[in-house]
Amino acid sequence: MMKSIAITLLLLIAFENNTSFGYIIDPGPQIKATNGEVWPRPKFEQKTPKYFVIDPDNFDFSVIGRTCDILEDAVVRYKNIIKNTVKSILRSTLTNYHYHNKPITQITINLTSPCEFMPNLTMDEWYYLSGSGNILAHSIWGILRGLETYSQLITPANNGLLKIRDVRIRDSPRYPHRGLLLDTSRHFMEMKTIYDVLDGMAYNKLNVFHWHIVDDHSFPYQSIKYPELSEKGAYLPDMVYSQNDVASVIEYARLRGIRVIAEFDVPGHTRSWGNSHPELLTECGEPYKGKLGPLDPISEESYKFMENFIEEIVQVFPDKYMHLGGDEVGFECWDSNSTIRNYTKANNLTYTHLQKKFMEKVTRMATNNSVNPIVWQEAMVENVNMPEGTVVQVWLGDWRKLFSEFTNAGHHVLLSECWYLDHLSTGGDWLKYYRCEPENFNGTNEQKKLVLGGEACMWSEVVNNNNVVQRIFPRVSATAERLWSQEFIRDEIDAKRRLEEHTCRMILRGIPAQPPTGPGIC
Ligand SMILES: *[C@@H]1O[C@H](CO)[C@@H](O)[C@H](O)[C@H]1NC(C)=O
Ligand SMILES: *[C@@H]1O[C@H](CO)[C@@H](O)[C@H](O)[C@H]1NC(C)=O
Ligand SMILES: *[C@@H]1O[C@H](CO)[C@@H](O)[C@H](O)[C@H]1NC(C)=O
Ligand SMILES: *[C@@H]1O[C@H](CO)[C@@H](O)[C@H](O)[C@H]1NC(C)=O
Ligand SMILES: *[C@@H]1O[C@H](CO)[C@@H](O)[C@H](O)[C@H]1NC(C)=O
Ligand SMILES: *[C@@H]1O[C@H](CO)[C@@H](O)[C@H](O)[C@H]1NC(C)=O
Ligand SMILES: *[C@@H]1O[C@H](CO)[C@@H](O)[C@H](O)[C@H]1NC(C)=O
């Protein structure tokens, strides 16, 4: 009996890891990488059996349409990336393929409309390309995505040359909001780390960097109006993001077609604000006397402060969305403070009412500055009156039920519940992210249209500069394909093989990605 349970377990584990059956294992990589396949999978791909040769020392981009700084910068980046592809270990002998006689010496880029300056929610990411060396798009963002795809199709041959299949691809994303949240409060992330993350995002066609920049533990954002917030709230004086740093992140992201959405989470998750502004937080009473709780919801001062602060944030971060948090507001401190307790009694309110009032007010401060608020699900307490355009991000509990509810009330939603990158199961645990389908909830077509996309979340309690990039990549690639590719792209055998290649590719490009699935060569 015991023995058969043990064997069943062993088989289950074997299935789970997709290793060979039992102890019978073939030598070589567990998953054989593809060669010149694209991640995330494009919408329409028409393949021919023929290939073109590219000499890495004798090709160039030829810009035949509009151009701008974004395009010029991208051309330099992708030229280097393509040249560097000769170093990939995924080489194959040229003799195994059929070739067009003429090698590709020019890759033409035809942007048909003037560049937009900043990416935004409605950015057009459509592009067309042919392996013969043409990239066409009607917006600069489509050109960026097309260059990424083109570079992924190229693989090395064994004689120092490169090859690309004669394909035609027409591609555009399934969802407009494909994000990654990075928490820079629990551990401070260096600029180099943030740049690496943004590069990796571009390689996965992710387009929103959700910067969870401050939280309870530290306040690294150097404010213009309130510099004391980081002076006293950062872990160390040099663990701050100056205005220059913030502008550099926004610029680096812009050049890659990535939006930067800042989160200033209120009224909870604000303990570090209290190092310089204790008057904004609630002084707890017994049994928590001596401690500070969430922002004080009944003082005019905290609202005045938020108004001034939000005015600054919307100037510093150009995106038309900002995140105001609203999650995990503990009521125990409010309840221990007799001023607040008496106020709620006198006005026949609950603490949920206080939270609701607070979020209704601060979200309107955002809309008063022409910026749409994003909030975590807890802000949507019963009968809350959020301004039009508020987006709800779902991270906890039965997300299907919550998606039904929120979209039924007409709200746009973002999914994160199944994409927590800090929740490790095994090393190669990306399939659980891959299997999460954002429209798998009960709702009408109209409701489904309110799904803007989603975000993978990299909370930083147990990651720092030494392991955060490895933890994100390639696990976030699963989320990236789910949000970019068509719903029916879910062949896991195929995905494993492509992700193996994509991981090699990211490593070659300087992203220290961890192995996705098991024994392998990258
Ligand atoms: C760029 O593409 C557009 C649309 O297909 C086409 O009309 C135009 O002729 C192309 N430009 C060049 C220089 O080929
Ligand atoms: C995005 O930018 C384009 C070009 O500037 C603009 O036409 C469009 O209205 C913007 N969309 C949003 C949602 O701001
Ligand atoms: C309740 O908190 C507010 C804000 O910190 C503080 O001004 C007030 O004194 C506190 N009330 C009591 C009874 O401690
Ligand atoms: C709160 O109400 C109680 C009972 O009415 C009273 O004793 C106490 O002084 C009040 N506290 C404050 C801070 O107003
Ligand atoms: C207090 O509020 C509750 C529900 O929010 C309501 O049922 C009750 O009538 C209110 N009491 C007073 C005295 O207004
Ligand atoms: C938003 O602006 C309106 C009109 O100026 C003003 O009445 C309202 O108080 C503002 N709301 C907030 C929360 O600042
Ligand atoms: C949708 O609703 C049906 C009927 O109420 C239920 O059986 C099913 O589990 C629901 N599906 C999801 C994904 O919640």
Side-chain angles (χ1 to χ4, degrees), residues 278-279 281-283 289 296 337-340:
E279 78 286 0
L281 303 187
T282 307
E283 264 175 49
K289 208 154 177 64
D296 182 345
N337 174 303
S338 61
T339 314
I340 294 177

Side-chain angles (χ1 to χ4, degrees), residues 20 62 117 149 260 314 318 325 334 339 346 360 374 432 453 456-457:
S20 343
S62 159
F117 185 71
T149 299
V260 177
V314 301
W334 284 351
T339 314
E360 285 175 347
I374 307 179
K432 67 181 180 186
C457 297

Side-chain angles (χ1 to χ4, degrees), residues 3 77 109 122 159 212 231 278 319 365 380 402 436 479:
K3 199 170 165 195
R77 280 200 315 275
I109 301 178
T122 52
N159 54 355
H212 189 88
E231 274 159 25
D319 203 85
M365 293 173 191
M380 305 305 290
L402 293 166
C436 183
T479 307

Side-chain angles (χ1 to χ4, degrees), residues 398 400-401 404 439-443:
D398 186 348
R400 294 181 178 86
K401 188 163 155 277
S404 290
E439 286 182 27
N440 185 11
F441 68 92
N442 278 326

Side-chain angles (χ1 to χ4, degrees), residues 2 9 25 60 143 172 197 229 256 261 270 281 389 474 478:
M2 281 307 284
L9 270 179
I25 289 173
D60 220 330
I143 293 290
S172 56
V197 167
L229 283 166
R256 286 154 184 77
I261 295 182
T270 48
L281 303 187

Side-chain angles (χ1 to χ4, degrees), residues 12-130:
L12 278 176
I13 290 166
F15 271 121
E16 193 59 26
N17 293 332
N18 196 36
T19 51
S20 343
F21 226 60
Y23 288 113
I24 305 169
I25 289 173
D26 294 325
Q30 181 191 334
I31 307 292
K32 193 174 171 343
T34 49
N35 193 290
E37 294 291 334
V38 179
W39 191 287
R41 182 69 94 199
K43 200 167 183 177
F44 299 109
E45 210 172 346
Q46 192 186 357
K47 293 181 176 172
T48 75
K50 280 202 162 178
Y51 284 77
F52 293 95
V53 170
I54 303 176
D55 178 347
D57 297 317
N58 185 23
F59 82 95
D60 220 330
F61 286 103
S62 159
V63 178
I64 60 170
R66 308 283 191 140
T67 188
C68 61
D69 59 341
I70 304 177
L71 202 154
E72 280 156 26
D73 195 77
V75 158
V76 173
R77 280 200 315 275
Y78 281 100
K79 197 168 176 194
N80 283 331
I81 284 174
I82 292 172
K83 270 170 158 314
N84 200 42
T85 303
V86 288
K87 297 191 190 129
S88 167
I89 58 165
L90 300 177
R91 279 183 210 100
S92 46
T93 43
L94 274 176
T95 47
N96 294 345
Y97 299 90
H98 294 292
Y99 282 91
H100 289 285
N101 290 331
K102 241 172 89 101
I104 293 173
T105 52
Q106 280 210 331
I107 302 161
T108 63
I109 301 178
N110 183 357
L111 169 59
T112 62
S113 310
C115 286
E116 287 164 18
F117 185 71
M118 274 287 167
N120 69 18
L121 178 69
T122 52
M123 71 210 255
D124 174 12
E125 294 171 284
W126 179 93
Y127 67 91
Y128 163 84
L129 70 75
S130 70

Side-chain angles (χ1 to χ4, degrees), residues 331-381:
F331 294 151
E332 55 278 63
C333 180
W334 284 351
D335 186 48
S336 71
N337 174 303
S338 61
T339 314
I340 294 177
R341 198 167 59 231
N342 288 6
Y343 174 91
T344 48
K345 279 207 188 108
N347 294 282
N348 192 26
L349 298 172
T350 62
Y351 297 116
T352 306
H353 286 126
L354 290 185
Q355 182 195 354
K356 176 175 124 167
K357 261 184 50 185
F358 187 93
M359 291 312 290
E360 285 175 347
K361 253 180 151 159
V362 294
T363 49
R364 276 177 179 75
M365 293 173 191
T367 52
N368 270 7
N369 285 287
S370 315
V371 166
N372 295 300
I374 307 179
V375 293
W376 297 108
Q377 66 192 53
E378 294 100 311
M380 305 305 290
V381 294

